[in-house]
Amino acid sequence: VQLQASGGGLVQAGGSLRLACAASGRIASINAMEWYRQVPGKERDLVASITTGGATNYAESVKGRFTISSNDAKNTVYLQMNSLKPEDTAVYYCAAEYTEWGDTVVVGRHWGQGTQVTVSS
């Protein structure tokens, strides 16, 4: 699975951005799509996820402000970010959790390249 993220940029506090992540390759193996973010010196944290069944999950810090959605026809997942705060500044990564069924079951995660989101105060 290959993931191509886009949509980052610079925005003022209170503004909005929409990130997109286009998936290609072995799409059928994907269980869920996820957005993570990371700031220098800290761990990569889960921001939001959406399963192939449409169930969503959000970090407490973004609930009510961020919305994850998918366009299955385009194999693309979006992260709509509203009411952005300076503390949302990070590199955002999309990821695809997958399962490969064979003689052994392999569960893993593919990563896209990061996209920088900077929120100025």
Side-chain angles (χ1 to χ4, degrees):
V1 174
Q2 293 77 47
L3 302 173
Q4 181 68 43
S6 61
L10 173 64
V11 65
Q12 289 188 332
S16 299
L17 281 175
R18 189 176 80 156
L19 306 182
C21 179
S24 60
R26 294 175 59 86
I27 305 296
S29 66
I30 296 174
N31 306 319
M33 294 292 293
E34 303 161 322
W35 285 100
Y36 287 76
R37 66 186 181 188
Q38 188 172 27
V39 297
K42 293 191 175 181
E43 294 185 352
R44 192 171 296 185
D45 293 325
L46 179 66
V47 176
S49 65
I50 185 167
T51 69
T52 52
T56 59
N57 183 54
Y58 297 93
E60 284 295 325
S61 60
V62 307
K63 279 184 179 178
R65 299 188 299 120
F66 291 10
T67 302
I68 189 169
S69 62
S70 64
N71 183 325
D72 293 340
K74 295 183 178 181
N75 293 324
T76 300
V77 172
Y78 303 96
L79 185 68
Q80 178 66 44
M81 305 185 294
N82 299 327
S83 301
L84 282 160
K85 304 175 181 180
E87 52 263 43
D88 294 318
T89 296
V91 177
Y92 284 70
Y93 297 88
C94 68
E97 183 192 90
Y98 68 91
T99 300
E100 294 283 356
W101 299 90
D103 292 337
T104 60
V105 179
V106 176
V107 179
R109 184 170 281 111
H110 295 290
W111 293 94
Q113 90 286 5
T115 184
Q116 176 71 45
V117 171
T118 303
V119 184
S120 63
S121 58

